[in-house]
Amino acid sequence: MEDEMIINLFCERSEQAIRELSNKYGSLAQGVCENILRNSFDAEECVNDSLFTTWLAIPPRRPTSLKAYFVGIARNKAIDRFRYNTSARRDTFGDVAIDELEEYLQSYSSTEKECEAEELSLAIENFLGTLKKEDRTLFMCRYYYSTTVLDLANKMNKSEKYINLRLFRIREKLRKYLIKEELI
Amino acid sequence: MRRGVVSEAMDKMSDKYKLEALELLNQAEISEITNMKNGKSTRKIITVGLAASLTLALGVSVAAANGVFSMNVREADPSETITHIVQDYDEESDTIYEYEETVSDIENIITFEGPDSCYGIEFKLGYVPEVNIAPGGEFGDPYGWNSSFLQFETNNGGVNITVYYDPQFGENGCLFFNDSLYDIEESVMGEYDVYQFSDTYIVEFEDFDENPDHYDTYYTHYIIMHHPDGYIIVFSGSEDMDVLKQIAENLEIQHTDVVVETEDFSNHNFSVIRGLG
């Protein structure tokens, strides 16, 4: 079913909307959540929560891309859940991928400079526009969707070492870009 | 930067790149690459530009059992020095001799990581730029197969093509450059990591009184490393970058059964040769 039709079902308050959304993007969202949580049960709960959140949000909201919107909600719920789990030491398998980037940039950041998320968001988006599609995709998969390096290596038919190397170079380029923009 | 701000910033980004990334996450994994042959390589001839897809199609890769190689580029520390072995020609005795030289003022250093052995290659030009080869003026065969080095003259000067192997560099060896580099670009071409840049070499006229007493020569360098198989090919010369790129993209490669190992080499540092001479 087309996204537009699913959104219309939400607007009509038809519960079929949830089934269609779940059928179409449920497994994609589940994959993203599992990458973050490493736990299929927790991931499933996040996806179910996301279906409910979407139900509450549409209407009035009418997202341009239902796919990005729904997977984005699921991703945020998984990160919240991850941080809840790890802060209470309920689960300590490691950091979520975004922390890898955050800590890297943090170490170069001066205490005087405090940039806001909106400003940084725009800068990252502009920076991504300067990269090749492959590098952009790698960056987003790793730091937005928390895809593991092994998964990225398999999907791109490269070695893990290669993926790590590319991610390192992208982080370095981003760091230089943010310094140039005086954001860190 | 306050903690959480990067995550928040990523979340606030428009859908454009989020959707682009989801395309990859929707793709089925290519996992059959591990079904490669583990034994010695059978001969294969591939062009560089198509290497990635053909390697998959043929199902052979000499590095399947060895792991994967990688290239790292960094700026040299101002105080850094490198010792390497220089080969020179003695006209009187008509012999080639070697001496050790320690070099400072290094600009960039390229290092390589990977296993201690890989298989050798031979290469042949698939694209021959307009050449003006003086008889005996070239090293190697611009129209045939070459194993490690090819030098030929073109209408704009000349081109050097040198093959290196990751094991050749040992643990701490490198390729290094003494001149200021500019127009540096890094990219990926199939399974090749590409590093390209230009430099200006100042040629001094020590023996002449006339002015000017020096001139700048413009050189281009195009370096490719094949990640799975561990070989590196350096294209350098006074041709435009587009020409070097075209040579690289059309280069034919065939694997040999010769195993290249670190212990075969006593010298692990190499200064990149520019043009002819």
Side-chain angles (χ1 to χ4, degrees):
Chain A
M1 187 180 280
E2 293 295 315
D3 285 3
E4 196 60 29
M5 290 176 72
I6 299 176
I7 292 173
N8 286 341
L9 287 172
F10 272 107
C11 291
E12 291 162 12
R13 312 312 290 158
S14 165
E15 287 182 14
Q16 193 194 340
I18 293 176
R19 283 193 296 276
E20 295 294 343
L21 180 61
S22 176
N23 287 342
K24 192 164 184 185
Y25 298 126
S27 59
L28 185 61
Q30 175 81 18
V32 168
C33 292
E34 278 188 31
N35 278 338
I36 297 167
L37 292 162
R38 305 290 195 284
N39 179 317
S40 59
F41 182 74
D42 281 358
E44 200 177 326
E45 277 194 358
C46 288
V47 174
N48 287 337
D49 281 356
S50 306
L51 289 168
F52 183 62
T53 302
T54 309
W55 172 259
L56 292 178
I58 308 174
R61 198 166 168 148
R62 202 175 173 92
T64 324
S65 164
L66 183 63
K67 184 182 184 180
Y69 180 72
F70 175 64
V71 176
I73 290 174
R75 174 248 182 201
N76 289 345
K77 285 193 182 296
I79 287 177
D80 287 348
R81 179 63 171 261
F82 172 85
R83 290 189 168 143
Y84 168 79
N85 285 347
T86 49
S87 66
R89 297 196 176 277
R90 294 173 182 90
D91 178 355
T92 53
F93 68 82
D95 285 341
V96 70
I98 188 73
D99 289 342
E100 174 182 302
L101 178 65
E102 199 148 69
E103 277 162 19
Y104 186 78
L105 297 177
Q106 196 99 35
S107 61
Y108 290 97
S109 174
S110 74
T111 49
E112 298 82 30
K113 285 175 185 167
E114 276 298 339
C115 72
E116 290 305 317
E118 285 83 1
E119 201 180 1
L120 186 61
S121 177
L122 191 64
I124 294 175
E125 198 149 342
N126 289 338
F127 164 74
L128 290 177
T130 67
L131 299 181
K132 293 191 307 296
K133 187 182 174 186
E134 184 184 271
D135 283 348
R136 244 184 352 246
T137 301
L138 259 182
F139 181 88
M140 289 303 288
C141 284
R142 178 72 183 142
Y143 299 122
Y144 184 70
Y145 294 114
S146 292
T147 311
T148 62
V149 171
L150 178 63
D151 279 353
L152 286 171
N154 286 336
K155 284 181 189 299
M156 299 183 95
N157 189 24
K158 307 279 186 191
S159 69
E160 285 181 76
K161 191 188 265 185
Y162 173 90
I163 300 292
N164 276 324
L165 186 68
R166 290 233 73 80
L167 286 170
F168 171 74
R169 287 185 186 165
I170 298 168
R171 286 199 305 268
E172 260 299 290
K173 281 182 186 166
L174 175 61
R175 182 180 71 80
K176 285 179 184 164
Y177 183 86
L178 294 179
I179 288 171
K180 199 176 115 212
E181 295 293 310
E182 298 183 344
L183 289 173
I184 60 172
Chain B
M1 189 182 291
R2 110 186 112 79
R3 190 157 180 85
V5 74
V6 180
S7 175
E8 202 181 327
M10 298 282 289
D11 194 41
K12 286 180 187 297
M13 282 171 56
S14 69
D15 290 344
K16 187 178 167 189
Y17 298 134
K18 293 177 185 173
L19 283 168
E20 196 176 76
L22 281 175
E23 281 173 31
L24 179 74
L25 296 184
N26 272 335
Q27 275 175 24
E29 288 179 9
I30 305 167
S31 57
E32 297 310 311
I33 192 147
T34 48
N35 293 333
M36 295 170 180
K37 287 185 180 177
N38 286 333
K40 286 213 168 188
S41 67
T42 52
R43 285 202 164 218
K44 59 173 178 175
I45 300 175
I46 52 177
T47 61
V48 168
L50 295 173
S53 56
L54 279 176
T55 301
L56 264 180
L58 292 169
V60 288
S61 170
V62 288
N66 291 340
V68 177
F69 304 79
S70 69
M71 171 163 74
N72 303 290
V73 185
R74 68 173 173 86
E75 285 177 16
D77 189 287
S79 62
E80 210 160 346
T81 59
I82 288 177
T83 301
H84 70 133
I85 293 172
V86 182
Q87 282 192 337
D88 212 340
Y89 175 68
D90 179 31
E91 283 186 32
E92 277 187 22
S93 60
D94 190 27
T95 52
I96 292 172
Y97 65 99
E98 291 183 343
Y99 63 94
E100 210 173 73
E101 181 186 57
T102 300
V103 184
S104 57
D105 296 330
I106 298 152
E107 292 284 340
N108 274 38
I109 289 175
I110 303 185
T111 54
F112 306 89
E113 286 174 36
D116 294 334
S117 67
C118 66
Y119 288 107
I121 62 159
E122 292 175 343
F123 66 92
K124 184 181 178 184
L125 299 184
Y127 163 72
V128 183
E130 202 177 340
V131 292
N132 178 22
I133 300 169
E138 78 279 2
F139 289 94
D141 181 2
Y143 304 102
W145 289 99
N146 296 274
S147 57
S148 59
F149 183 64
L150 171 64
Q151 183 178 76
F152 56 93
E153 197 174 343
T154 68
N155 286 342
N156 287 330
V159 173
N160 287 321
I161 303 174
T162 314
V163 176
Y164 298 94
Y165 299 96
D166 179 86
Q168 197 168 346
F169 296 96
E171 278 191 20
N172 302 309
C174 66
L175 285 178
F176 63 92
F177 307 89
N178 282 94
D179 303 316
S180 295
L181 309 182
Y182 52 91
D183 295 339
I184 298 171
E185 278 182 40
E186 288 176 63
S187 56
V188 174
M189 177 172 69
E191 287 187 328
Y192 291 87
D193 232 14
V194 180
Y195 186 64
Q196 65 183 72
F197 56 86
S198 305
D199 75 70
T200 304
Y201 178 57
I202 299 170
V203 179
E204 304 277 355
F205 281 93
E206 291 174 356
D207 301 334
F208 300 97
D209 293 332
E210 64 199 50
N211 284 321
D213 60 0
H214 71 270
Y215 67 93
D216 294 349
T217 308
Y218 173 82
Y219 288 110
T220 48
H221 304 272
Y222 196 84
I223 301 174
I224 61 175
M225 177 175 193
H226 191 257
H227 276 279
D229 293 353
Y231 60 86
I232 299 117
I233 307 176
V234 179
F235 305 80
S236 294
S238 41
E239 276 291 351
D240 287 344
M241 190 64 80
D242 286 346
V243 174
L244 293 189
K245 192 176 175 187
Q246 213 171 335
I247 294 172
E249 284 176 349
N250 291 284
L251 201 69
E252 290 180 36
I253 304 288
Q254 69 179 16
H255 281 281
T256 67
D257 290 335
V258 176
V259 177
V260 181
E261 291 178 301
T262 300
E263 60 195 31
D264 298 337
F265 302 91
S266 55
N267 179 31
H268 301 302
N269 297 317
F270 302 91
S271 171
V272 171
I273 304 167
R274 300 180 188 87
L276 291 175

